[in-house]
Amino acid sequence: MQQLNGKVALVTGAASGIGLAIARRYAAEGAKVVLSDLPTSEGERVTAALRQEGFDCAFVNADVSQPGDCERLVEQAVARYGRLDIACNNAGIGGELAPLADYGLDAWAQVIGVNLTGVFQCMKVEIPELLKTGGAIVNIASILGQVGFANACAYTAAKHGVLGLTKVAALEYASQGLRINAVGPAFIHTPMIARLDADDASRKALEALHPIGRIGQPEEVAELVLWLSSPGASFMNGAYVPVDGGYLAR
Ligand code: NAD
């Protein structure tokens, strides 16, 4: 028995890494999946590959930092599949790495624009559709929504902000049957962290931050996101759930 039969799910930033693993996991549980990403991304190619595997999915390009794109994304998802049951706001960038006093204003605006304002803009247009189906939102935050990380002020501030957005929206819509939660991955093996584990010493240092002794895989995040999106998580709302190999347990 597939958990998401008859459901329609939307995933932003789905051309790569964690977003792609989530899209695949949703599809494997029977959902029709709208993958979204930048027009310059691998989105069309990975969606075609999922279709080849027999999954029912479509690609819609959208830059989540652009409000018009977010509106068009939800419109096209609903036009294609007739409803929206699940939205996973995953698109994100790492941004510049520099101490706060040296952090560029443009670099700050870019990270906040994608990682925080992008989630806000997507939620604004997803919520009216999800209220019709009694759906669920899962926002991809980070351990850096809970603790700091030197040289990543914009990313850390944005991810803390995503937790705030998640909690407020959860309070506002819980009584109307909509569940809104956030997950917090620690370091996960995706292109985003390539510059942080480029050599052996850096990789070992990253691994050592995780009591479990390794960084995570995108599929390990997707498993949690699937559960939070599914009827099995019917009493989960406004939560931040870490998936971090014990990173935050220190
Ligand atoms: P990734 O770079 O592999 O994938 C991110 C995707 O987002 C890319 O396909 C990219 O094209 C897309 N994207 C970037 N800007 C966008 C925009 N403006 N509009 C639409 N799409 C855009 O990275 P990932 O590691 O899979 O990251 C996915 C999410 O997980 C991000 O929100 C990231 O902050 C979060 N996260 C990642 C880690 C990690 O260690 N990899 C840890 C915690 C949280």
Side-chain angles (χ1 to χ4, degrees):
M1 171 70 182
Q2 293 176 302
Q3 296 181 59
L4 303 183
N5 267 340
K7 306 276 187 199
V8 176
L10 165 63
V11 185
T12 66
S16 170
I18 294 170
L20 178 54
I22 292 166
R24 173 184 289 281
R25 196 68 189 88
Y26 282 159
E29 285 298 328
K32 298 179 173 73
V33 183
V34 176
L35 293 90
S36 180
D37 209 296
L38 294 170
T40 50
S41 71
E42 289 276 276
E44 294 280 9
R45 193 187 62 75
V46 301
T47 305
L50 287 176
R51 267 198 233 105
Q52 285 281 329
E53 291 177 49
F55 298 128
D56 191 350
C57 50
F59 178 71
V60 177
N61 74 60
D63 177 342
V64 298
S65 70
Q66 303 302 315
D69 279 22
C70 300
E71 280 170 30
R72 181 177 50 76
L73 167 59
V74 170
E75 274 166 24
Q76 289 188 8
V78 173
R80 169 73 188 242
Y81 288 124
R83 55 188 287 146
L84 186 65
D85 301 276
I86 296 164
C88 178
N89 297 310
N90 163 80
I93 54 175
E96 184 173 304
L97 290 174
L100 194 148
D102 302 324
Y103 210 91
L105 212 51
D106 287 350
W108 167 272
Q110 191 193 12
V111 174
I112 298 294
V114 176
N115 293 10
L116 180 56
T117 311
V119 174
F120 167 69
Q121 287 171 168
C122 285
M123 289 174 75
K124 262 178 86 67
V125 289
E126 290 158 359
I127 285 170
E129 289 303 327
L130 292 166
L131 285 172
K132 297 177 191 166
T133 56
I137 292 178
V138 180
N139 292 326
I140 306 302
S142 166
I143 44 166
L144 305 187
Q146 294 268 287
V147 295
F149 195 75
N151 297 317
C153 61
Y155 186 92
T156 304
K159 293 299 186 181
H160 276 69
V162 169
L163 293 197
L165 279 181
T166 302
K167 289 175 191 168
V168 170
L171 294 176
E172 290 170 347
Y173 297 102
S175 66
Q176 296 171 67
L178 180 50
R179 295 183 303 101
I180 305 174
N181 293 290
V183 307
F187 289 91
I188 306 296
H189 192 68
T190 73
M192 182 177 281
I193 66 155
R195 63 190 164 155
L196 300 175
D197 73 346
D199 56 72
D200 249 21
S202 323
R203 186 171 33 77
K204 286 203 169 78
L206 261 196
E207 287 172 353
L209 295 172
H210 304 73
I212 209 164
R214 62 177 177 85
I215 62 173
Q217 294 299 326
E219 293 73 20
E220 295 177 294
V221 180
E223 210 56 50
L224 171 61
V225 173
L226 168 67
W227 179 68
L228 284 171
S229 309
S230 74
S234 53
F235 205 53
M236 295 295 293
N237 193 37
Y240 164 82
V241 187
V243 50
D244 68 359
Y247 189 108
L248 291 180
R250 289 173 185 283

